[in-house]
Amino acid sequence: VVKIFSKAAKLHPKKGVKVVEDAVDKCVKRLGMGITSGKATKAVENQRARKLYEEIFDEDSPAFVDYYFRVKAAENEIFVVENEKQEILATLHLNPYEMMFCGEKVKTNYIVAVATRADCRHQGMMRSLLQASLQEMYRRKETFTWLMPAAEAIYRPFGFRFIYEKNKMTVTADVLRRAETDEKWQIHSDQEVSGDIFCEEAKKEDLAELACFAEKQLSKLAEVYTVHDIAYFEQRMQEVGCEGGSLILIRKEKEICGYFLALKKDREAWEIVVEDAVQKKAFPAVLHWFGASEEKCTFTAFPQIWEQYAQSENVPAIMGRIVHLERFVCCLKIKKEQEWKIRLTDSLVPENNGYFIIKTGIEGGSLIRVENLSEKEKKMFCSMDIGQLTEELFRLPVFLNEVV
C-alpha cells in the first residue's frame, strides 16, 4: 500500500519523495513526483507505466507509443495503483491542455490511458484513480475534465456525459469522380472565390501563420476548444507523423484558409477546419490532394456544409465532467439568463455537495451555497447529481478532436 503523491506535499526526509498529509486514497500514487533529478528520473518512472500501456492498448503502433512516452508523458501526470512489489496494476494519465472556455483561457486535463491489469479488474481501482485525479484537479480549481470513452457505460456512473459529437462521412468513388468533373462543385454563385485553392504539407515555418488562422476560425466554430498555438501544432505534427501521416494546409493562393490532419495511405482526414468563404471549393481540393483512386475516403470533423455531398452520421466522441463547480459556473457565459435551485451530490468530489443557487447569463454565472435550511425550504431545491448538472449546463458548441 502506498500513498498518493502531490506537488503540494512535504518532502520525506529519508526517501526523497513527497507524501501528502491528507491522502485521498491510500492505494494511489503519482509517478515521478518529488524526485530531485527531475525530468530524467520522471522518464524512468514513466517507463514503468509503459508496460501496462502496451499490454492494454496493443492496437497502438510502437512508433506512436514511443512518441507518447517521449513527448506527452514528459509533461503529464500519471496516477497509478501499485502492489507491494511496486508492480503497476492500474493507471490513469492526465494530459494538460489550455482550453478556450466561453472566451476565457482555462487549464484543463484530458484523461487518457485509463487501464487496469486483466487480473486486477472489478476491484475499484479505476474509481480510486478517478477520485484521486479529480480531487487533485479540484484543488487546482480546474473547471472541467474530458475523455474519449471506450464505452459510455464505463464513465457515466462517475458523472461524465457526452459533450461533443463529430460528423463522419465516407466519400465513395462516384463522389470522387464528380468532384473532379462537375463544374457546379468547383465554384458557387453564393461563394465567389478568386484564385486557386490547393493543399500542401505544413512545414514548421508555417505554424505561426497557422496558429493565427486556427484561433480566428475556431473561435467562430465553438465556445470550447483547445488552444491551437505553435507548440500545439508542433506536437500534432509529431503525433500524426509517427503513423506516417501529415498536417496539411489548405491555401488560397499564398494564404492559409484551412488545415486538416491526414493519413494519405489510409485515405483518412480529420479535424478539417476551413475558412467560411471557401468551404465549398475546398471540398474538391481536399479530394484532389488524396489523388485519383477508386478507393473511398473517410472524413471526420469536417465543415457541416460538406454533408450535402455524401451521407454522413454524427458520432458521440468526447465526454466531460464538471470538476470545480464554482469556477465552472463563474466562467460559463450563455445568452439565456437562468436560475437553478439545486441539491447537488458528487460522490467523487464531496466539496461539490450541497444546496446551491446557480445563476447564469451572458456576463458569466454566480453560485451561492445555501446552508441552515428548514425542511420546508429544502423541498424548493431540485435534487441532481454532478452528471445531470454537467448535462444541463454544458450545452455549448464544442470542438475537441485530440487523440492524446
Side-chain angles (χ1 to χ4, degrees):
V1 177
V2 296
K3 295 182 176 68
I4 185 174
F5 287 42
S6 170
K7 291 178 180 176
K10 298 188 299 183
L11 188 68
H12 192 288
K14 293 183 179 179
K15 297 181 181 179
V17 297
K18 294 181 180 178
V19 180
V20 168
E21 293 174 305
D22 298 310
V24 175
D25 191 303
K26 296 291 185 182
C27 67
V28 178
K29 68 175 275 189
R30 288 196 310 197
L31 290 183
M33 298 300 296
I35 301 172
T36 55
S37 51
K39 288 185 178 180
T41 308
K42 185 178 188 298
V44 173
E45 281 278 272
N46 287 348
Q47 289 304 309
R48 297 203 299 118
R50 179 169 177 158
K51 181 181 177 183
L52 182 61
Y53 185 102
E54 291 177 321
E55 179 184 321
I56 302 299
F57 305 105
D58 56 359
E59 70 276 10
D60 289 350
S61 70
F64 180 85
V65 178
D66 284 344
Y67 156 78
Y68 181 80
F69 278 91
R70 176 173 50 84
V71 178
K72 299 300 292 187
E75 63 182 18
N76 77 356
E77 297 168 270
I78 302 179
F79 288 74
V80 302
V81 177
E82 289 182 336
N83 61 15
E84 295 80 2
K85 299 177 182 178
Q86 289 195 314
E87 295 172 327
I88 293 176
L89 309 179
T91 65
L92 179 152
H93 297 211
L94 293 184
N95 289 356
Y97 279 91
E98 276 197 318
M99 187 87 73
M100 295 306 299
F101 180 70
C102 296
E104 184 172 342
K105 191 178 288 187
V106 300
K107 291 183 178 180
T108 70
N109 274 285
Y110 185 17
I111 297 175
V112 304
V114 181
T116 305
R117 208 170 75 180
D119 61 337
C120 300
R121 290 172 186 165
H122 310 296
Q123 297 178 28
M125 292 183 187
M126 189 185 85
R127 179 188 176 87
S128 294
L129 289 166
L130 282 169
Q131 184 166 26
S133 58
L134 282 165
Q135 291 204 12
E136 175 60 20
M137 287 186 276
Y138 180 91
R139 185 187 68 78
R140 299 191 295 231
K141 296 186 177 181
E142 295 182 17
T143 51
F144 70 97
T145 187
W146 45 298
L147 55 81
M148 185 189 299
E152 178 185 8
I154 297 173
Y155 296 98
R156 191 175 177 87
F158 302 109
F160 289 86
R161 296 293 186 272
F162 276 113
I163 60 172
Y164 174 57
E165 60 180 25
K166 56 182 75 174
N167 52 2
K168 183 176 182 179
M169 74 176 177
T170 300
V171 183
T172 53
D174 61 314
V175 177
L176 293 169
R177 286 192 294 272
R178 186 180 171 195
E180 290 288 338
T181 59
D182 193 333
E183 289 185 3
K184 291 181 180 179
W185 283 31
Q186 304 306 306
I187 197 160
H188 298 258
S189 59
D190 63 332
Q191 199 169 14
E192 294 293 336
V193 179
S194 60
D196 293 331
I197 305 292
F198 63 95
C199 301
E200 65 176 11
E201 190 167 338
K203 300 181 287 293
K204 280 195 174 183
E205 52 265 37
D206 297 317
L207 299 186
E209 181 188 358
L210 178 57
C212 290
F213 166 81
E215 172 54 33
K216 181 179 177 182
Q217 192 62 32
L218 292 176
S219 64
K220 298 177 186 177
L221 277 177
E223 294 279 357
V224 182
Y225 58 92
T226 54
V227 173
H228 284 46
D229 56 15
I230 295 173
Y232 172 92
F233 280 115
E234 285 177 343
Q235 281 201 1
R236 294 306 294 275
M237 285 178 74
Q238 290 184 66
E239 179 185 296
V240 72
C242 71
E243 300 279 21
S246 307
L247 171 62
I248 305 300
L249 304 178
I250 304 172
R251 289 191 183 273
K252 183 182 72 175
E253 296 179 337
K254 293 183 179 181
E255 292 189 0
I256 294 174
C257 62
Y259 72 89
F260 59 94
L261 295 148
L263 288 172
K264 198 167 190 175
K265 59 182 173 60
D266 296 331
R267 299 180 68 78
E268 294 179 3
W270 63 97
E271 192 171 325
I272 308 171
V273 177
V274 187
E275 184 182 309
D276 297 351
V278 298
Q279 284 183 354
K280 288 184 179 178
K281 199 173 183 186
F283 180 72
V286 172
L287 294 178
H288 181 74
W289 179 81
F290 278 99
S293 173
E294 290 298 309
E295 294 183 31
K296 63 187 180 182
C297 293
T298 303
F299 293 163
T300 307
F302 54 86
Q304 191 173 357
I305 199 170
W306 289 10
E307 292 177 2
Q308 64 184 293
Y309 301 135
Q311 188 173 355
S312 65
E313 61 176 335
N314 289 333
V315 182
I318 297 293
M319 298 182 83
R321 185 198 198 275
I322 294 171
V323 174
H324 195 284
L325 177 60
E326 182 178 6
R327 177 77 176 131
F328 182 93
V329 170
C330 289
C331 291
L332 184 65
K333 299 179 181 70
I334 52 178
K335 291 180 180 179
K336 187 177 181 181
E337 293 188 359
Q338 290 180 287
E339 179 178 302
W340 287 274
K341 291 183 177 180
I342 62 167
R343 174 183 174 269
L344 185 65
T345 55
D346 187 338
S347 62
L348 298 184
V349 186
E351 292 86 349
N352 286 331
N353 291 333
Y355 290 83
F356 300 97
I357 298 173
I358 296 174
K359 295 181 180 181
T360 60
I362 193 67
E363 298 297 324
S366 65
L367 178 139
I368 301 172
R369 182 185 290 272
V370 186
E371 297 176 334
N372 303 317
L373 293 169
S374 67
E375 290 303 314
K376 183 178 179 180
E377 289 171 323
K378 287 179 180 179
K379 291 179 181 179
M380 299 172 63
F381 287 72
C382 174
S383 293
M384 302 179 80
D385 62 39
I386 195 68
Q388 292 170 318
L389 187 62
T390 296
E391 205 164 25
E392 189 65 39
L393 294 182
F394 220 121
R395 298 185 178 183
L396 300 164
V398 176
F399 191 76
L400 294 172
N401 297 287
E402 288 66 29
V403 178
V404 291

